Amino acid sequence: MNENTHNRVDRREVLRGGALLGLAGLLTGPLVGCGGRAAGLPAPQWPGAKPVRPTPTVTSASPLPPARPMPATTGAGYYALPSGVIPRSQWTSQGVIMSRLTANGQDGRMGRIERITIHHDAMESTGIRSQGDAARRMALVRNGHVNRRPEPFADIGYHFVIDPQGRVWEARPLAYQGAHVKGQNEHNLGIMVMGNFDRHRPTSSQVQTLESFVCAMMRKYQVPVGRVKTHQEMASTECPGRNLQRQLIASRGRGGTIARA
């Protein structure tokens, strides 16, 4: 999960003002995931519902290309944890709150994976160095998500998280639909990169890991580059921050790493 005056006003000014108010209404609204504010966390830690900066290549209005044929099975192996990913058990003993899962006709199950969306957590991350530091950040984000109001999540909203040292963490189990793009979570794999990339740049380790991990997920689930998006390309938010947005535009562009997956 968004004036009266006693002086004579020119009719053109009234019409212009009404148009601006209508546009403002379209650009504000409730956001979910990294676009929402969690209870108990200070406001600067979560990105607000700000107007989206125009991007040179992809917009939220861009139609999705047709999905490639998907594997017939979505059994346990389909959602198996990729090699090298730190399992959920390393940062929490809490499970998914099943009663809160989105009722999407599949009891909150992911189903077949057809797209990928990339986020940041909009929090300062330069002090996160050890695995313990990152585990504490994971727990903090989950706590904010499950205690947010008025719509608490079933669990941390993302499926995978990349810390500043380039480690990949298992977040919400992949078999369950995430909570990272309001109204567009079905069949959507969510990846969050720790940091506020409006204020600083992702580390070289984060960029290298993000690109290789996204490519691996694209190949495994046959997701074309046109279905790899950032949050701001799908909703009114600045997530994943201007610096990561630029990096991803380049990586998905001609000759970029993600484009070559």
Side-chain angles (χ1 to χ4, degrees):
M1 17 85 213
N2 347 217
E3 308 210 355
N4 294 322
T5 178
H6 295 293
N7 298 323
R8 189 174 180 180
V9 181
D10 186 83
R11 185 171 181 271
R12 288 173 297 176
E13 293 299 316
V14 173
L15 292 174
R16 190 186 315 168
L20 289 172
L21 286 172
L23 178 59
L26 289 174
L27 292 176
T28 58
L31 297 174
V32 179
C34 56
R37 181 180 175 187
L41 294 179
Q45 292 183 324
W46 301 98
K50 299 179 181 178
V52 180
R53 297 189 189 92
T55 57
T57 57
V58 187
T59 69
S60 58
S62 301
L64 285 173
R68 296 177 184 174
M70 294 294 160
T73 179
T74 56
Y78 186 77
Y79 306 111
L81 196 64
S83 175
V85 174
I86 300 171
R88 180 183 173 92
S89 60
Q90 295 299 302
W91 65 272
T92 185
S93 60
Q94 303 297 312
V96 175
I97 304 171
M98 303 298 288
S99 61
R100 294 182 183 174
L101 285 170
T102 303
N104 63 354
Q106 300 181 38
D107 297 324
R109 300 283 174 168
M110 170 69 91
R112 292 187 292 185
I113 295 166
E114 299 177 357
R115 49 186 172 165
I116 298 168
T117 303
I118 299 162
H119 307 257
H120 70 170
D121 63 6
M123 293 192 282
E124 177 61 48
S125 65
T126 54
I128 297 176
R129 295 182 175 85
S130 71
Q131 189 164 317
D133 293 336
R136 284 185 287 274
R137 171 61 61 84
M138 294 287 293
L140 176 66
V141 174
R142 182 186 184 276
N143 183 66
H145 284 189
V146 299
N147 289 297
R148 73 189 295 275
R149 294 293 181 269
E151 298 175 295
F153 293 167
D155 195 59
I156 189 170
Y158 318 103
H159 296 104
F160 298 100
V161 174
I162 299 173
D163 72 23
Q165 305 306 313
R167 293 173 290 241
V168 183
W169 296 75
E170 180 188 21
R172 181 178 298 212
L174 191 52
Y176 297 108
Q177 179 177 300
H180 53 101
V181 183
K182 187 172 184 178
Q184 302 187 65
N185 288 306
E186 291 187 23
H187 313 294
N188 191 352
L189 188 159
I191 300 172
M192 183 267 275
V193 185
M194 289 183 185
N196 185 335
F197 302 120
D198 272 324
R199 296 184 179 178
H200 58 85
R201 296 179 180 179
T203 67
S204 58
S205 295
Q206 281 180 314
V207 171
Q208 183 177 357
T209 296
L210 176 63
E211 289 184 329
S212 62
F213 188 72
V214 168
C215 289
M217 295 298 96
M218 290 170 67
R219 288 190 291 266
K220 179 174 181 178
Y221 296 111
Q222 300 179 43
V223 177
V225 67
R227 284 177 170 257
V228 177
K229 302 283 188 179
T230 66
H231 193 179
Q232 70 174 244
E233 292 164 0
M234 304 175 74
S236 181
T237 175
E238 292 190 351
C239 176
R242 61 179 177 268
N243 292 313
L244 184 54
Q245 179 72 19
R246 286 195 205 103
Q247 180 68 41
L248 288 164
I249 288 172
S251 190
R252 291 175 302 176
R254 185 174 182 179
T257 300
I258 292 176
R260 300 195 308 269

